[in-house]
Amino acid sequence: MGRWICCLCSRVADPLMLLLVLALGCNPSTAAAAAAAASPSVPHVKPSYSFGRTFLGLDKCNACIGTSICKKFFKEEIRFDTWLSSHLKLPPSSLLSYSGNYTDDAKSWRMVDITRLTSKYQHDRADRRVCSALLGTKACSLERALRRTPRFQKWLRAKRLTPDLVQGLSSPMLRCPSQRLLDRIVRRYAEVPDAGSVYMDHLTDRDKLRLLYTLAVNSHPILLQIFPDVEGWPFPRYLGSCGRLLVSASTRPLRDFFGAAPEVAADLALQLLAVLRSMATNDLNYFFYFTHVDAGTFGVFSNGHLFIRDASTLGIIDKEEGSQLIDGQQEYKDIFSCLTVDCQSAFVPCDSIREEHSLVMVCQDLLPKLLTGKFLPRVQESIDAFLQRCARGLGERGGASEAVEELAEILRPLRSCDSRFAYRYPDCRYSDKY
């Protein structure tokens, strides 16, 4: 008997297994099955990310955009594309934007863009500038430093966001502010519960600093909030922010379509003209103009619909109220004026912006790359002649609306109606609108 037990001991290393063998009088393989049933199961540990506060920018709050979507990051309901690989790792923090996946039910996923207000290098440089200028140190609590500024102290006392509170900020959206536009910002600021009021009573001190910081660095997320896509505005949907990252619906930049087929190029050019028209003439009587355009300013959704992908260079002039900054207020400068831009940048007077301003820039920088060398010679000659005249400033042959319609007449017959253009198919079969 002793020899049999010793033999078992050499074959069965698990004490629980040995006891079962002795108790059940069975062989080791049978005991193994019993031991498995008796042992508590060890849960499978899913590989996961421990989000760093530094990566998200939460360590810099409340000098940040907001925290409305942080839970989705931490619950892994927002994933970077690299998360779907076998080697999970956060992407480099040096990038300006990332492709990601977003879910509400853990089953269906959709693509999103995860974006910084500006590059991490510019953020870090601005943070050092704040500490150096306001506290005389290399590093500091940004919130404590910015709270001491005269501008923020005025924000704390203010009941309403007025033009003098945003004077001198570098955002093109605020170069010529009206009270009507500022009230819209407060009413629709999505990082706080909607109060439906033009007064800032529902904003805490923390909320006010976040709003001021966002407006000072990059007004892109604010534009997405106050002119939402569900109301027909040509912007991607704002989904929320966490620290210094914002999440919005995903689009492919227009640069990806410069080599597209002629009918696709014609379709995108027509949409681009329609966007410029809606930005100049709309029911709210705001005139939107670009201070700069490039191949990443516009984007295309998976259904072929073109939107404004980057709203950071959009200026707004209120055609009802006009600018309500008094003389000299546009030139005001403080630390918030220079967070990410050169404080010496020249101010462009509001009354110098013409109706064709944005169209001329698009004719110079985008439409030639989209339309050149795509069509039959006679059509191509007409397009090239228009683009050359438009790029020079349209001359004496009419304004922007007439020029847009002139190019649209050339392009309409060139686009097709098929499933590649899901945003208008099959409607284009039955409507002259498309």
Side-chain angles (χ1 to χ4, degrees):
M1 180 69 176
R3 291 178 60 190
W4 183 71
I5 293 176
C6 291
C7 180
L8 277 177
C9 290
S10 65
R11 294 175 57 192
V12 182
D14 188 349
L16 174 62
M17 178 107 50
L18 180 59
L19 289 174
L20 285 170
V21 168
L22 294 174
L24 298 176
C26 57
N27 62 39
S29 61
T30 304
S39 300
S41 60
V42 178
H44 173 68
V45 179
K46 183 180 70 171
S48 180
Y49 276 99
S50 174
F51 260 110
R53 290 170 55 83
T54 302
F55 179 85
L56 293 170
L58 281 171
D59 59 323
K60 302 299 175 64
C61 281
N62 292 299
C64 60
I65 316 174
T67 57
S68 60
I69 209 165
C70 287
K71 285 184 179 179
K72 281 197 168 288
F73 276 107
F74 291 114
K75 290 168 65 179
E76 296 186 24
E77 292 176 348
I78 297 176
R79 300 179 177 180
F80 295 95
D81 278 352
T82 52
W83 279 37
L84 303 180
S85 68
S86 58
H87 303 289
L88 301 182
K89 62 180 181 179
L90 289 175
S93 60
S94 58
L95 298 179
L96 185 59
S97 63
Y98 313 89
S99 293
N101 296 273
Y102 175 102
T103 186
D104 288 316
D105 56 14
K107 296 177 182 178
S108 57
W109 293 83
R110 51 191 165 118
M111 294 293 294
V112 292
D113 289 334
I114 305 168
T115 315
R116 299 184 186 278
L117 291 183
T118 187
S119 70
K120 188 173 186 303
Y121 169 77
Q122 289 179 303
H123 268 312
D124 291 343
R125 186 176 65 172
D127 293 346
R128 290 192 297 270
R129 182 184 299 152
V130 169
C131 296
S132 174
L134 300 181
L135 298 179
T137 60
K138 291 184 178 180
C140 67
S141 164
L142 296 173
E143 180 169 352
R144 183 164 61 91
L146 293 175
R147 278 177 173 272
R148 294 182 176 186
T149 60
R151 186 192 293 266
F152 187 67
Q153 289 301 312
K154 286 180 65 176
W155 273 64
L156 289 179
R157 296 190 297 269
K159 295 294 184 182
R160 194 172 184 179
L161 186 59
T162 51
D164 62 297
L165 296 178
V166 298
Q167 62 179 332
L169 295 184
S170 62
S171 168
M173 183 181 75
L174 299 172
R175 297 285 179 86
C176 314
S178 68
Q179 188 59 57
R180 187 168 71 113
L181 175 63
L182 298 179
D183 287 344
R184 189 176 183 88
I185 291 173
V186 172
R187 284 201 321 270
R188 294 183 170 223
Y189 181 42
E191 289 298 312
V192 298
D194 180 14
S197 171
V198 300
Y199 296 101
M200 296 196 290
D201 297 336
H202 62 296
L203 299 184
T204 65
D205 294 358
R206 174 200 65 193
D207 298 328
K208 289 182 178 181
L209 181 56
R210 290 177 180 178
L211 177 57
L212 172 55
Y213 180 84
T214 307
L215 290 172
V217 177
N218 187 333
S219 59
H220 170 76
I222 303 299
L223 274 160
L224 270 55
Q225 294 169 41
I226 67 176
F227 298 108
D229 67 308
V230 294
E231 294 180 5
W233 297 96
F235 301 110
R237 180 165 300 180
Y238 177 82
L239 298 172
S241 299
C242 185
R244 289 180 169 180
L245 293 177
L246 70 99
V247 183
S248 59
S250 176
T251 59
R252 289 177 60 192
L254 187 62
R255 69 170 65 89
D256 290 357
F257 297 87
F258 286 162
E263 61 273 20
V264 175
D267 181 82
L268 292 175
L270 278 166
Q271 289 192 71
L272 184 50
L273 296 176
V275 166
L276 295 182
R277 187 186 297 115
S278 69
M279 293 286 93
T281 305
N282 51 74
D283 292 341
L284 293 185
N285 233 4
Y286 289 115
F287 173 59
F288 297 77
Y289 65 94
F290 287 98
T291 58
H292 170 77
V293 296
D294 58 35
T297 301
F298 298 91
V300 183
F301 285 118
S302 57
N303 65 357
H305 209 167
L306 180 139
F307 275 57
I308 296 173
R309 187 171 189 256
D310 179 3
S312 62
T313 62
L314 269 179
I316 301 179
I317 295 175
D318 190 334
K319 294 195 285 187
E320 281 188 15
E321 295 185 358
S323 174
Q324 293 173 6
L325 284 179
I326 61 176
D327 291 342
Q329 283 186 323
Q330 295 97 331
E331 304 295 340
Y332 176 85
K333 293 288 189 294
D334 68 353
I335 192 67
F336 287 99
S337 308
C338 324
L339 284 178
T340 57
V341 297
D342 180 6
C343 271
Q344 305 305 315
S345 58
F347 175 77
V348 179
C350 303
D351 56 10
S352 69
I353 306 299
R354 298 182 297 166
E355 181 189 8
E356 64 267 26
H357 179 86
S358 296
L359 177 61
V360 170
M361 286 197 297
V362 166
C363 287
Q364 291 172 341
D365 299 322
L366 296 182
L367 289 178
K369 298 173 184 175
L370 190 62
L371 298 175
T372 299
K374 295 284 179 67
F375 308 100
L376 295 174
R378 181 175 296 180
V379 174
Q380 191 67 59
E381 288 174 7
S382 299
I383 293 174
D384 293 345
F386 172 86
L387 293 180
Q388 290 169 12
R389 177 166 59 86
C390 175
R392 292 193 298 265
L394 299 179
E396 302 296 327
R397 294 175 57 185
S401 58
E402 292 82 1
V404 165
E405 187 55 35
E406 180 183 339
L407 181 56
E409 285 295 324
I410 301 174
L411 294 173
R412 283 193 191 101
L414 303 177
R415 65 179 182 174
S416 62
C417 180
D418 59 61
S419 58
R420 287 177 298 167
F421 309 100
Y423 79 95
R424 59 181 174 89
Y425 182 84
D427 293 349
C428 52
R429 295 281 186 196
Y430 313 105
S431 173
D432 294 337
K433 174 184 176 183
Y434 297 101

